[in-house]
Structure formats: C-alpha cells, structure tokens
Amino acid sequence: APGTGKTSIARALTAHLHRNGATCLSAACHARESIRFNAFDGIADGMRRAVAALPEAARAALRALDDGPLGELFPVLRAADDDAHIDESVTGELVRREPDGDARRRAFGAFRALLAGLAARAPLALVIDDAHRADRDSLDLLAHVFRDPAPPVALFVLGARDGLAPLAALAADRRVPAIVELALEALTEAEGAVLAELVARDHGSTVDARGIA
C-alpha cells in the first residue's frame, strides 16, 4: 500500500550499499512513463556510469560482451565506450531502436553478461522501486537476466504495491530463483512517533513527534 515506507527503505538500502563499496544500480517506474523497458531506464544509466569508472582494460573487456543490439536497446550504454559526459539534450545519437527477434535475444544476453561482468568486480545490487508499474518488456528482461542457469550474482530488490501480484508471471517462472517477499504494514501511531523522533534527531532538530505521526 502507498505510504508504508518502501521508497524510503529502498533509498536507505541504496545509500548503505554505496557506503559499503557495492555497485548499486537503482531505478523507479513512474506513473506517467510510457517508454518500453521502463524499469531498466535508470539501471542502464547506472551501468554506464559503473563501466565508465573502470580502468580502460576492464571497460574494453565489458564492451566486447555486446555485438551491437544492446546499444540499440539502451543507447546510453553505447556511451560506455568512453567516460565522456553525455549531453542529454542531444538525442539524435540516443534513439532507442528496440530490436526484435534474434537481435532482442542477443541484447538480453549482452545485458545479462554485462551485469555479470560488473558483479565479478564488486558486490552488485539492483534496486527497482514501484515495480508494480513495470511494463511487459521489463518483466521479460527481468526473467531473462535472473533465470537459471548461472544468473549474475547480485542482490535484487523490487519495491511494489500489492505484494507479488503485479509480478505474478515473474514469480511463477520456475527458471527464476525463488523470490523472498517482505510485506510492509502501516506504522502504528507509536511507531510513527519513534520514527519521527529518530529523523528529527538525525537532522539536529526537535519536533512534536506524536503530532507528526
């Protein structure tokens, strides 16, 4: 349900993982977003930054994993060829061609291989919030990336309303490792007051915690 704190937990988890040296790729699915692969748009941005931060030899090794279709599916990943800043106002070179058929399967395979390559260099986590809004293409890519055999070694966190219901097809895929569901219940008034006090303390202020809760 909305307001139970899943987004705050996702942000806190991302910050904790970064502080402890993990490569953390995060994204969120937005209500009025109509692009395909909406759950992976932010993930692809994070992958580009992670690859660009590697030494040249490592970047070259990861670039060799893609024979072209991945750059068509996620044009921003073509910029992983160098560490130059992407001017997002220049869209001509970042048009998504969305390959189909065999090219789509190769793009999915290259995406999975790139994640595995990043995971081999540092602990890897993917955090996608509001995954109940993920489109069909995103769910197809999710299933491909994490199904057996030998999926990338990574922590994968989905924040979604209504539990696993919006992700039923993914959860039912027997080739995908078991998904652990953690249900969040609304805070009681007393729990809300404790949380408000902790937040206020972290920010060096005093508040009427019970009034906020």
Side-chain angles (χ1 to χ4, degrees):
T4 55
K6 60 181 179 57
T7 296
S8 296
I9 290 174
R11 289 174 179 167
L13 175 63
T14 300
H16 173 78
L17 293 169
H18 275 306
R19 286 194 302 269
N20 286 274
T23 299
C24 189
L25 310 174
S26 60
C29 303
H30 302 290
R32 290 177 291 277
E33 197 170 42
S34 60
I35 62 171
R36 292 174 65 182
F37 299 96
N38 63 332
F40 283 95
D41 207 43
I43 298 295
D45 289 338
M47 291 170 71
R48 182 199 67 82
R49 290 190 292 269
V51 172
L54 294 173
E56 172 55 33
R59 290 205 306 270
L62 292 179
R63 288 198 300 267
L65 298 173
D66 177 34
D67 60 356
L70 179 58
E72 295 181 2
L73 194 65
F74 295 107
V76 71
L77 290 177
R78 289 202 297 266
D81 288 349
D82 57 51
D83 56 4
H85 172 70
I86 294 179
D87 182 354
E88 295 183 357
S89 67
V90 180
T91 59
E93 295 181 358
L94 298 179
V95 175
R96 179 177 292 176
R97 294 184 176 85
E98 298 177 357
D100 293 316
D102 181 64
R104 177 184 169 104
R105 286 189 293 273
R106 291 183 2 247
F108 279 21
F111 191 91
R112 173 177 164 132
L114 182 53
L115 287 176
L118 290 173
R121 288 165 172 79
L124 177 66
L126 286 78
V127 180
I128 299 178
D129 194 22
D130 289 325
H132 53 279
R133 298 186 181 124
D135 67 346
R136 180 71 257 176
D137 291 303
S138 294
L139 296 180
D140 287 345
L141 181 53
L142 278 172
H144 182 89
V145 166
F146 288 99
R147 67 174 45 133
D148 290 327
V153 178
L155 172 66
F156 188 67
V157 180
L158 289 172
R161 297 178 188 173
D162 303 318
L164 292 178
L167 309 171
L170 183 65
D173 190 333
R174 295 184 178 181
R175 296 167 296 180
V176 175
I179 298 174
V180 178
E181 181 179 5
L182 300 177
L184 298 180
E185 302 294 338
L187 296 178
T188 65
E189 182 178 342
E191 291 169 336
V194 171
L195 178 60
E197 289 175 353
L198 291 173
V199 171
R201 188 182 308 162
D202 286 344
H203 289 79
S205 61
T206 58
V207 296
D208 177 8
R210 190 164 295 277
I212 294 176

